[in-house]
Amino acid sequence: MIPPFVVVYSPRRTRISLTIRPEDGMLEVRAPEGFPRSRIEAVLARNPELIASLRKRGEAVRRQLPRFRFEEGEFFLLRGRWYPLKFSRRLLCFDEAFLVPAGTPEEVKKSLEKLYRQLALSHLEQRTGELAARFGITYRSIRIGGASGRWGSCSSDGNLNFTWRLIQCPDEVIDYVVIHELAHRLELNHSDRFWAEVRRMCPDFEQHRAYLNENSLRYSGW
């Protein structure tokens, strides 16, 4: 029996991989663009033990995730700093605090994510434009998604995609992810030439890359 799953396609990927999303426990299949769904289902059908093992590890990861109640007074991250959550009748904005309408925890969570997406789009549009101009790189558009296992991506036609969760990180880490995706406009791969471009634009990128690996659970916990 094939379990429920979602597929994330990537033009740079050459093979499929399986993972369990920490935020909801869903099986996520990452596949090359155009990879037939029938072949994905065949792979899943042949690997029930692997999927069971991934679920077990996924549950262990989820137990480590920060737990939020989405109550007034809780603190949430924005660009590396903690700010309080405050309730308002109509406002959805940031003013040294996350101002969202009061409601059930699920309603507050949805409002807070909506605000995060707005803040992420505003900051990333500005910062990507500045960094692209500095290094003479062009791109087509910026989109904000909700992925928890990927900070950003770059399509072959120049669309840059970032997860809203990135806006929780310190500014220098955000810049690294932006530079990483801009470097894909020069090398649409992870070859030595690609990493040389990243180093040229961000000499201390290894420090920021290590930070993301070590702190990923902090930023994907809800």
Side-chain angles (χ1 to χ4, degrees), residues 80-126:
R81 294 181 58 190
W82 293 93
Y83 295 94
L85 175 66
K86 294 184 179 180
F87 291 160
S88 169
R89 288 187 177 182
R90 294 182 299 276
L91 291 179
L92 183 68
C93 66
F94 179 81
D95 184 10
E96 296 303 309
F98 295 94
L99 302 175
V100 303
T104 66
E106 189 60 31
E107 290 170 339
V108 172
K109 178 181 176 181
K110 289 180 179 179
S111 294
L112 185 58
E113 180 177 332
K114 182 178 180 180
L115 178 54
Y116 263 118
R117 286 174 179 264
Q118 293 174 0
L119 295 169
L121 180 61
S122 175
H123 181 75
L124 287 166
E125 281 186 333
Q126 176 181 343

Side-chain angles (χ1 to χ4, degrees), residues 116-213:
Y116 263 118
R117 286 174 179 264
Q118 293 174 0
L119 295 169
L121 180 61
S122 175
H123 181 75
L124 287 166
E125 281 186 333
Q126 176 181 343
R127 197 63 186 134
T128 303
E130 292 170 348
L131 290 168
R134 179 190 302 177
F135 298 110
I137 299 173
T138 62
Y139 60 93
R140 185 174 179 182
S141 67
I142 292 176
R143 299 173 183 171
I144 302 299
S148 61
R150 176 180 294 181
W151 300 106
S153 64
C154 174
S155 68
S156 58
D157 56 359
N159 293 317
L160 305 183
N161 303 282
F162 300 99
T163 175
W164 64 262
R165 301 170 194 276
L166 179 60
I167 198 63
Q168 300 173 94
C169 298
D171 282 350
E172 62 272 18
V173 177
I174 296 174
D175 279 1
Y176 157 65
V177 175
V178 171
I179 287 172
H180 183 114
E181 300 311 328
L182 287 174
H184 280 309
R185 295 289 292 138
L186 305 174
E187 295 287 341
L188 198 60
N189 50 54
H190 285 106
S191 64
D192 290 343
R193 292 192 304 274
F194 166 80
W195 289 112
E197 292 293 347
V198 174
R199 187 182 299 279
R200 176 177 68 85
M201 294 184 282
C202 184
D204 53 355
F205 81 91
E206 291 176 340
Q207 171 187 335
H208 304 317
R209 188 183 182 194
Y211 177 91
L212 287 173
N213 290 334

Side-chain angles (χ1 to χ4, degrees), residues 1 39 41 133 145 152 215:
M1 182 176 179
R39 291 181 61 187
E41 292 176 347
N215 293 276

Side-chain angles (χ1 to χ4, degrees), residues 3-6 19-28 55 62:
F5 66 94
V6 296
T19 188
I20 300 296
R21 297 195 309 209
E23 72 273 23
D24 58 9
M26 175 64 74
L27 174 62
E28 182 176 289
R55 288 199 183 283
R62 292 184 72 184

